[in-house]
Amino acid sequence: MNPTDLWKLAWRGLTRRRVRTLLTALGITVAVASMVIFLSLGEGIRKVFVEQLGGIGPDIQVSLSGFTQGLAPAPNLDQKAVRDIQGLASELGIRTVTPVVMTVRGSLDVSQSAVLYGLPAAQGVGAVFPNTRVTLGRLLTAADEGQGVAVIGAKAAQNLNLKLGSQLNLNRRNRVKVVGVLAPESGLVDSFIFLPISTLQRAEGAEGRVSLVAVKLDDPRQARSVATTIGERLNLEASTQSDFLSFVERALRISDAVRFGISLIALIVGGLAVANTVMMGVFERTREFGTLRAIGARPAFVRTLVLSESLLLSLAGGVGGVILGLAGIWAVNVYTQQLAGIDAAALTPRLVLLALGISLLLGLLSGLLPARSASRLNITDALGRL
């Protein structure tokens, strides 16, 4: 029998119990879709960081503990580090040195959260993010230092319902007035609220301390060697953009493993459903398999036939899972676009291949026991069953 006839026979065997086959395929579809959606979050966030942060931000970020404190380190670095780095400027080809205070304005409602980013008003937002443009009002000026003013990103303005002239409460004692709204630029920076550094230091009780020092170089290609020199001479953690992206990649790999582990539970349940469906089919078709053996079919043929049914069932569920996962990814991105102006999920070719590959592996493993049972049927006993 040629392979085409074998697959046709396998499909006919599955469609004899259409409702049971459909329910089993739906179980696999849901399991694969959940895996696709979970893992697509990691793929989407990777694209966001590589595309949106690869060409913006400081060439070097100097802090006390690197990225071990997360993306918004606490203001625990003595501000004299700024002067120390400025002292190396001419030797290392440093163009600008910008002290930064960062803190997260959290909320139970994620859409109400934002990143507060304090930097010297005289240097302005362009010192770290040179491509930012103001669409309403103005940017920070030297006269704003220490004043209660802020320039907000487009997405922060939308989520917090702020406009030019609005008041934003930093805490019970400190509030700032919105003097500028930035044009949409980057999904992440759009969620930032920029303030004069002394204003944010006062609000956070962090006078004389900064979260990090942002360094721009005359030649960004020298970032690695300059970072190494700063780290050795000043006993500080100096990280480049590539270090930051590597840190993000490691963090995402850990989160990918966690999400895959959660998905694996659903996949195992789906595999058991496939095994149960195929095994029941074997028991119901005992006489059929016995007849096949009686007319000369070898045990290997019967085994291959049952495995083909299992693979077809899992492949159908896998394709359905990818399609359902694509719909889920679309829903996730609609939400994250409204929240932060980014696509947090992405269906990449390697993710599609992973989903289909796992589906086929699931079908193969689920069909091994039923296939073995079918190939070992005794011809006499099989033909004698009603």
Side-chain angles (χ1 to χ4, degrees):
M1 181 177 288
N2 61 55
T4 302
D5 292 335
L6 177 65
W7 288 111
K8 288 181 178 179
L9 190 59
W11 179 254
R12 190 179 306 159
L14 288 175
T15 53
R16 287 181 181 179
R17 298 290 185 270
R18 295 184 180 182
V19 174
R20 185 170 65 200
T21 299
L22 178 61
L23 292 176
T24 303
L26 284 176
I28 302 172
T29 295
V30 172
V32 173
S34 66
M35 181 192 70
V36 168
I37 293 172
F38 283 158
L39 295 184
S40 71
L41 293 172
E43 297 294 321
I45 294 173
R46 281 186 180 90
K47 291 181 66 176
V48 168
F49 277 103
V50 171
E51 294 176 1
Q52 297 193 9
L53 292 186
I56 64 174
D59 297 320
I60 299 174
Q61 177 175 305
V62 182
S63 60
L64 199 58
S65 303
F67 297 117
T68 59
Q69 298 181 61
L71 302 183
N76 55 9
L77 177 63
D78 195 310
Q79 198 160 342
K80 74 179 186 63
V82 178
R83 296 190 296 273
D84 295 336
I85 297 172
Q86 287 172 335
L88 301 173
S90 58
E91 177 186 349
L92 300 180
I94 296 174
R95 182 187 302 170
T96 60
V97 179
T98 308
V100 173
V101 173
M102 292 183 70
T103 184
V104 176
R105 184 180 187 270
S107 172
L108 294 177
D109 182 355
V110 180
S111 65
Q112 299 299 301
S113 299
V115 176
L116 303 181
Y117 199 100
L119 73 174
Q123 291 183 267
V125 178
V128 182
F129 304 102
N131 296 327
T132 52
R133 297 176 296 105
V134 66
T135 187
L136 293 173
R138 60 179 178 81
L139 293 172
L140 297 176
T141 64
D144 291 324
E145 192 61 61
Q147 303 301 310
V149 297
V151 173
I152 61 175
K155 188 55 64 174
Q158 176 183 324
N159 291 344
L160 299 175
N161 195 27
L162 297 172
K163 56 186 179 180
L164 202 63
S166 296
Q167 295 287 329
L168 173 65
N169 292 327
L170 302 181
N171 50 43
R172 291 184 177 181
R173 296 184 177 182
N174 296 271
R175 65 176 54 186
V176 294
K177 179 181 179 181
V178 177
V179 297
V181 179
L182 298 177
E185 183 67 36
S186 161
L188 293 175
V189 178
D190 284 348
S191 297
F192 283 14
I193 297 175
F194 295 96
L195 306 99
I197 187 170
S198 58
T199 301
L200 188 54
Q201 284 175 321
R202 183 173 64 249
E204 293 295 313
E207 288 86 349
R209 290 175 285 130
V210 298
S211 299
L212 57 94
V213 181
V215 176
K216 282 282 190 179
L217 303 177
D218 293 327
D219 183 2
R221 293 173 297 180
Q222 303 299 319
R224 180 70 271 159
S225 61
V226 173
T228 301
T229 302
I230 291 175
E232 291 175 350
R233 294 194 186 181
L234 303 182
N235 194 28
L236 295 172
E237 291 288 337
S239 306
T240 65
Q241 284 188 348
S242 61
D243 293 331
F244 173 72
L245 294 177
S246 296
F247 167 79
V248 171
E249 178 64 26
R250 290 193 300 271
L252 287 175
R253 285 180 181 175
I254 295 173
S255 65
D256 283 345
V258 173
R259 289 192 297 271
F260 182 75
I262 296 173
S263 303
L264 191 60
I265 299 174
L267 290 170
I268 291 174
V269 173
L272 292 175
V274 172
N276 179 67
T277 297
V278 177
M279 182 66 81
M280 290 181 66
V282 170
F283 288 148
E284 293 171 354
R285 296 155 59 197
T286 299
R287 286 177 60 84
E288 177 186 329
F289 290 136
T291 301
L292 287 173
R293 292 290 311 282
I295 62 176
R298 295 180 176 275
F301 173 79
V302 177
R303 186 165 54 246
T304 303
L305 176 60
V306 175
L307 280 175
S308 299
E309 293 180 5
S310 180
L311 288 171
L312 271 177
L313 187 56
S314 296
L315 181 60
V319 172
V322 171
I323 296 173
L324 183 60
L326 187 60
I329 289 171
W330 174 82
V332 168
N333 286 338
V334 168
Y335 174 72
T336 56
Q337 276 290 343
Q338 294 176 348
L339 181 68
I342 61 172
D343 288 335
L347 185 63
T348 59
R350 71 172 182 176
L351 184 52
V352 172
L353 293 176
L354 176 64
L356 295 178
I358 289 179
S359 298
L360 291 175
L361 179 62
L362 188 68
L364 179 63
L365 295 177
S366 301
L368 287 177
L369 181 58
R372 181 173 178 272
S373 299
S375 66
R376 298 181 67 180
L377 285 174
N378 183 280
I379 298 177
T380 303
D381 291 343
L383 294 176
R385 294 187 184 181
L386 296 177

